[in-house]
Amino acid sequence: MNGKVQVSGAKNAVLPILAACLLTSDKVVLEEAPDLLDVQVMIQVLESLGGKVKRNGKKLQVTVKEIESIETPYDLITKMRASVVIMGPMLARKGRVRISQPGGCAIGSRPINWHLKGLEYLGAQVRMDHGFLDIVAPRLTGARIYLDFPSVGATENIMMAAACAQGTTVIENAAQEPEIVDLANFINEMGGKIRGAGTNIINIEGVKEFHGTTHTVIPDRIEAGTFVLMAAACGGEVLVRNVITAHLKPLLAKLDEAGVIYKEEDEGIRVMGKGCYNAVDIKTQVHPGFPTDLQAPILAMLTLAKGTAVVTETVFENRFMHVDELKRMGADIKIEGRSAIVQGVESLHAATVAATDLRAGAALVLAALTANGTSEIREIHHIERGYENLDLKLRGLGAEIYKVD
Ligand code: UD1
């Protein structure tokens, strides 16, 4: 692969930020908002609640003058679990929200108990009603909340509810992901008072009202990491642009260990790929540890490494669905409990494979790019949930990849 590729705005930042637009009746403008399936679902969620959203290229204009409904259609919540982040802002603005209880998904059972516990600490009452969660909070009051685990979604929901609670909320053992910082910055730009986002203790002083703002969404560190890994695995010189390098440190540290050559430049990260590297062990962790969302793509690269790599998943319970598909392309991988033992092979061969979730799909694209022959990847709607124009961007780097209806 050769050339330059531009990373889009972060999916995991824009989704909660869209939900936070529910906090104000003023117009909000979001720059660098990627046009992804998941973003389209979140827009439909906002519209179902009374919001008006207009897209103009990478810019979204969002206005939620009045909340017209307190219930989101079942189909939307089941289509995208991340839409549960509307709970916090809906309670803040309207004092009540009804959402269908989200079920499991391909990578695990994914409960939302910590979201609910946090909202209860702030004064909400949660009731189960025929598969729906009916949450009522006539008044939200600041509280000290210790999260059993630094859940990203729970931290976001609590932050948004607490942003207009009476008094101060402290979230301990909070998630520290860059997307949490972007959400906190956005809320502060609307008039909120949040300090400490990006550390494990977040202080939120409740305010009465929020106003409109214009905000630029941070670049997608997972998309950036995926392109870096693809360039490394395929060989060639690729400049991955629109990257905040600090967000990619856990990946870059592993690439150093594997022997990947890259340069951090003002414009982004330049990868000088040579295709074959040393095997390295990976253990996914919450930020600033190695991101679970890059586990599948790096595992795909490690199938071609020299030696044996142990890839351990600690964040999700069932995130090795890509392994069976990679094996069909000639990879040598064994699963033992929460670890995948990857024995490097000389080459992969093309096959027809299916994406089981978003990042698994990206891993298969990476494998297919390196494999001998032409692969067919099915169920690409998973990939389109989180990668904007992946086919176009990869064609720009010289890959032969086409979407077929
Ligand atoms: C977010 C990201 C996702 C990323 C993940 C971990 C979005 C839209 N998605 O997901 O891409 O892979 O962070 O970095 O931002 N859990 C519970 N109870 C809860 C909440 C979570 O048991 O109430 C468990 C989950 O099942 C999972 C783990 O905690 O095993 C991490 O989940 P969490 O950090 O909440 O991830 P998400 O916010 O769902």
Side-chain angles (χ1 to χ4, degrees):
M1 299 211 293
N2 272 296
K4 296 178 181 177
V5 62
Q6 181 80 8
V7 171
S8 301
K11 166 180 91 74
N12 289 351
V14 76
L15 293 177
I17 286 174
L18 278 167
C21 292
L22 289 163
L23 292 171
T24 177
S25 54
D26 291 352
K27 183 171 91 181
V28 170
V29 178
L30 301 177
E31 312 262 13
E32 290 297 322
D35 194 2
L36 301 164
L37 283 187
D38 274 7
V39 174
Q40 288 163 17
V41 174
M42 189 54 102
I43 289 172
Q44 286 170 35
V45 169
L46 292 186
E47 287 169 346
S48 76
L49 300 169
K52 302 264 177 296
V53 184
K54 262 201 289 193
R55 179 178 281 282
N56 185 358
K58 295 178 184 178
K59 195 189 282 193
L60 285 179
Q61 273 186 25
V62 186
T63 317
V64 194
K65 261 211 171 74
E66 294 280 346
I67 304 270
E68 287 161 8
S69 164
I70 50 123
E71 183 172 319
T72 328
Y74 169 87
D75 288 345
L76 292 179
I77 299 284
T78 47
K79 232 187 228 169
M80 185 183 68
R81 303 177 42 81
S83 45
V84 298
V85 290
I86 59 159
M87 292 189 297
M90 278 296 283
L91 288 181
R93 174 99 179 256
K94 205 65 189 166
R96 185 166 175 201
V97 62
R98 263 171 69 85
I99 61 161
S100 76
Q101 172 133 31
C105 73
I107 59 176
S109 71
R110 300 188 78 174
I112 55 166
N113 52 319
W114 299 321
H115 300 232
L116 299 178
K117 178 182 134 181
L119 297 176
E120 280 175 338
Y121 267 86
L122 297 174
Q125 283 168 5
V126 180
R127 209 163 51 87
M128 263 291 285
D129 175 21
H130 294 88
F132 267 82
L133 287 167
D134 195 342
I135 313 175
V136 185
R139 219 175 93 140
L140 293 165
T141 315
R144 183 171 278 272
I145 300 166
Y146 180 87
L147 289 177
D148 298 346
F149 176 89
S151 152
V152 173
T155 304
E156 292 167 347
N157 248 327
I158 297 168
M159 229 161 65
M160 289 188 272
C164 76
Q166 210 168 47
T168 303
T169 299
V170 179
I171 312 177
E172 291 176 317
N173 200 25
Q176 303 177 49
E177 271 66 3
E179 294 76 21
I180 301 277
V181 180
D182 206 28
L183 174 63
N185 287 342
F186 173 68
I187 295 174
N188 287 345
E189 287 157 19
M190 289 199 299
K193 290 192 173 159
I194 303 180
R195 282 180 298 120
T199 75
N200 63 355
I201 300 185
I202 304 181
N203 264 273
I204 306 140
E205 207 183 303
V207 299
K208 286 219 167 78
E209 254 183 69
F210 293 94
H211 51 76
T213 186
T214 296
H215 179 81
T216 304
V217 178
I218 55 168
D220 196 309
R221 65 195 164 103
I222 306 300
E223 187 196 3
T226 306
F227 282 124
V228 168
L229 288 165
M230 284 175 172
C234 291
E237 189 173 322
V238 171
L239 178 63
V240 183
R241 292 164 70 181
N242 191 30
V243 181
I244 299 177
T245 341
H247 294 172
L248 280 179
K249 286 290 173 202
L251 171 69
L252 298 179
K254 282 293 160 186
L255 296 185
D256 286 337
E257 213 181 310
V260 176
I261 299 169
Y262 65 87
K263 265 200 313 215
E264 294 177 31
E265 298 181 357
D266 290 345
E267 258 195 286
I269 297 179
R270 184 179 299 277
V271 186
M272 277 75 79
K274 60 182 170 69
C276 185
Y277 306 100
N278 308 320
V280 289
D281 293 341
I282 304 286
K283 189 174 190 175
T284 65
Q285 256 146 9
V286 296
H287 193 77
F290 192 91
T292 171
D293 286 347
L294 285 176
Q295 179 258 102
I298 201 164
L299 189 150
M301 184 182 99
L302 290 170
T303 60
L304 295 167
K306 286 180 274 195
T308 309
V310 180
V311 178
T312 306
E313 174 60 55
T314 74
V315 180
F316 287 104
E317 59 190 27
N318 183 25
R319 208 171 197 183
F320 282 127
M321 305 278 279
H322 40 290
V323 163
D324 280 337
E325 298 301 290
L326 290 171
K327 278 159 82 171
R328 301 180 61 239
M329 301 178 79
D332 181 352
I333 312 169
K334 257 197 324 237
I335 300 288
E336 281 185 15
R338 293 200 133 194
S339 298
I341 321 291
V342 188
Q343 177 66 53
V345 294
E346 282 283 305
S347 62
L348 296 176
H349 48 76
T352 296
V353 287
T356 47
D357 71 68
L358 165 57
R359 308 301 171 188
L364 295 178
V365 173
L366 186 152
L369 288 171
T370 64
N372 298 322
T374 304
S375 297
E376 188 174 312
I377 299 167
R378 303 212 169 157
E379 309 289 338
I380 60 163
H381 59 96
H382 287 295
I383 300 175
E384 295 186 317
R385 283 187 38 214
Y387 289 92
E388 192 177 40
N389 298 326
L390 184 63
D391 53 338
L392 276 180
K393 289 186 183 182
L394 287 174
R395 278 210 296 281
L397 295 174
E400 286 182 29
I401 175 169
Y402 300 96
K403 243 163 71 173
V404 186
D405 278 333

